[in-house]
Amino acid sequence: METRHLRYFLAVVQAGTLTRAAEQLGIAQPALSQALDRMERQLGVKLFVRSRSGARLTPAGEAIVEEVQMGLSRIDSATHQARQVGKGLGGRLTIGFVATGAYRILPAALQTFRAGMPDVHVSLLELSNSEQVAKLEDSTLDLAILFTPVEVNGSMKQRVLRRERLIAVLPCDFPAAEDGKVGLKELAQRGLVFAPREQVPMMRAEILSALRQAGGDGRVVQEAYRIMAVLACVAGHCGVSLLPQATRDLGFPGVQFREVRESRLLPLVELSVIWPARSRRTLADCFADILITQAGLG
């Protein structure tokens, strides 16, 4: 059964007569009548009782009106979606991000992206660095916002979005100093709560090296896979931590943030966007462009 015959059927239902329906459809009345006859033959039932006063639905016709409406609506939606995808304006985009990327980067980028591509379904996944790398490599993630440097197999594009210093994360009852800062040796004495080695190996190694340079025993006393888990561990007096300055935005109870006196010894935190390189422009390219522009790098 042709889709146009279903549309003709609904047009007659809404207009009440074949004459008015034919006028609205822009076709000749005999052609409309023949199309309805063909539809009724295919179904093996009468859909209308036709008279000079109009066209009245039979019980069989009444039984399928709602289904025809729903079916055509789905066809129209699928057609629109296919055209949007064909134009690069529709589809699905799966974005991974670390927690600190959500507060200063994602909101404005999402707003801009949705304004230009409202038909794209965006999925957001808060993931660790290693999880994002794995999902980029197996193509279940279209774009990653994570800490770099990292190694990702495959042909990838990458841009650094921002660099910032690390800040000390301490329990609320950690003694205050006159200058309001904390030294690396003090941190080393408490022990570090930090991500496992496979998450950010270079950053972890550089931080532990800085603690040792300051005369402390650089060691990780508690590993945590997520920034929120790190904050919970610090609040629970498992140790202290060093996290990106943007962590302050999370407003986690039970912790305080202080500048580090020897901050020059610590590595800068690099937040980057990484996405697969393709021969044609993708939705990930569009979103990455927005991130890069908003970071003032475009």
Side-chain angles (χ1 to χ4, degrees):
M1 189 178 301
E2 297 182 36
T3 302
R4 64 189 177 93
H5 291 167
L6 298 177
R7 298 191 190 281
Y8 292 171
F9 168 75
L10 287 183
V12 175
V13 171
Q14 293 164 1
T17 71
L18 268 68
T19 302
R20 282 199 295 269
E23 290 175 354
Q24 292 170 3
L25 292 167
I27 63 175
Q29 182 175 327
L32 175 58
S33 181
Q34 290 170 12
L36 291 176
D37 289 341
R38 193 175 302 115
M39 184 176 175
E40 289 176 331
R41 285 197 301 271
Q42 289 175 338
L43 292 173
V45 295
K46 281 289 185 182
L47 299 175
F48 296 99
V49 176
R50 306 180 204 179
S51 66
R52 292 182 179 180
S53 60
R56 178 171 53 83
L57 281 169
T58 65
E62 290 177 350
I64 68 169
V65 170
E66 187 174 341
E67 293 297 328
V68 171
Q69 289 172 331
M70 291 175 60
L72 286 175
S73 176
R74 288 171 182 159
I75 290 171
D76 290 342
S77 177
T79 301
H80 175 75
Q81 182 72 2
R83 287 172 178 167
Q84 291 297 91
V85 172
K87 295 176 183 177
L89 301 175
R92 300 180 65 89
L93 180 67
T94 304
I95 299 170
F97 64 94
V98 291
T100 54
Y103 287 81
R104 294 188 178 180
I105 289 181
L106 270 180
L110 284 170
Q111 184 177 4
T112 301
F113 184 78
R114 287 189 181 279
M117 299 186 176
D119 292 312
V120 175
H121 177 79
V122 178
S123 295
L124 298 173
L125 303 175
E126 183 185 344
L127 301 167
S128 66
N129 253 43
S130 58
E131 289 170 333
Q132 290 192 67
V133 168
K135 287 184 178 295
L136 278 173
E137 291 178 343
D138 68 15
S139 300
T140 56
L141 201 63
D142 298 311
L143 180 142
I145 301 171
L146 72 175
F147 298 123
T148 51
V150 293
E151 291 186 9
V152 185
N153 294 323
S155 180
M156 299 286 164
K157 297 179 182 179
Q158 176 179 335
R159 287 293 299 272
V160 176
L161 298 175
R162 72 167 186 254
R163 293 182 176 88
E164 59 184 83
R165 293 202 172 277
L166 291 164
I167 192 168
V169 186
L170 313 167
C172 278
D173 59 359
F174 193 94
E178 289 185 8
D179 62 358
K181 297 182 179 181
V182 65
L184 288 177
K185 189 173 182 178
E186 296 173 81
L187 297 178
Q189 290 170 350
R190 294 292 185 108
L192 200 66
V193 178
F194 207 70
R197 184 176 289 103
E198 66 268 18
Q199 294 277 23
V200 280
M202 291 186 64
M203 186 190 304
R204 174 169 158 150
E206 290 178 25
I207 288 173
L208 294 180
S209 175
L211 292 175
R212 295 185 187 109
Q213 287 182 55
D217 179 17
R219 59 195 174 94
V220 174
V221 296
Q222 176 68 56
E223 292 185 338
Y225 280 82
R226 297 278 198 282
I227 286 178
M228 299 298 278
V230 172
L231 294 172
C233 289
V234 173
H237 292 79
C238 297
V240 297
S241 192
L242 288 159
L243 293 176
Q245 289 181 336
T247 310
R248 279 177 162 166
D249 296 342
L250 301 177
F252 199 90
V255 301
Q256 59 175 307
F257 301 93
R258 290 198 204 159
E259 301 292 334
V260 179
R261 291 192 191 94
E262 307 93 334
S263 60
R264 67 188 184 282
L265 299 178
L266 294 171
L268 290 175
V269 179
E270 192 175 85
L271 189 70
S272 298
V273 56
I274 300 179
W275 70 104
R278 300 283 188 251
S279 58
R280 61 178 180 82
R281 187 167 174 79
T282 65
L283 294 173
D285 288 310
C286 297
F287 197 85
D289 286 347
I290 293 171
L291 288 171
I292 292 165
T293 298
Q294 291 184 345
L297 305 171

